[in-house]
Amino acid sequence: MSEHVYKLIEVAGSSTIGYDDAIQKAVTKAAASLENLDWFEVKEMRGHIQDGKVAHFQVVVKIGFRLD
């Protein structure tokens, strides 16, 4: 295995569908402007309640991408 150096960023994603969808949106958006994304870690999960029901799901993900 070769050695790699990574840059880390944090991105918040949100969704009305669920946490998985919020993660997918955050990673997809990051991948649109960055290359070599390799991994992510969910740091925070929270949501918004409206009329006694969950209205939005939000996640903060740490994303690591390889530096060339």
Side-chain angles (χ1 to χ4, degrees), residues 1-6 38 66-67:
M1 174 183 249
S2 52
E3 297 178 17
H4 299 291
V5 175
Y6 293 90
D38 270 359
R66 281 187 327 277
L67 297 176

Side-chain angles (χ1 to χ4, degrees), residues 5-65:
V5 175
Y6 293 90
K7 171 85 175 159
L8 306 176
I9 61 167
E10 287 188 2
V11 180
S14 63
S15 170
T16 57
I17 297 170
Y19 289 116
D20 184 62
D21 190 52
I23 294 167
Q24 295 289 347
K25 287 180 179 182
V27 171
T28 298
K29 192 68 167 179
S33 61
L34 298 168
E35 296 181 358
N36 301 322
L37 272 62
D38 270 359
W39 58 268
F40 74 92
E41 170 188 344
V42 176
K43 292 194 65 185
E44 299 175 28
M45 298 172 74
R46 66 179 144 274
H48 175 244
I49 300 170
Q50 187 173 21
D51 298 325
K53 296 182 181 178
V54 177
H56 293 91
F57 301 85
Q58 186 181 54
V59 296
V60 175
V61 293
K62 183 188 296 185
I63 297 176
F65 59 95

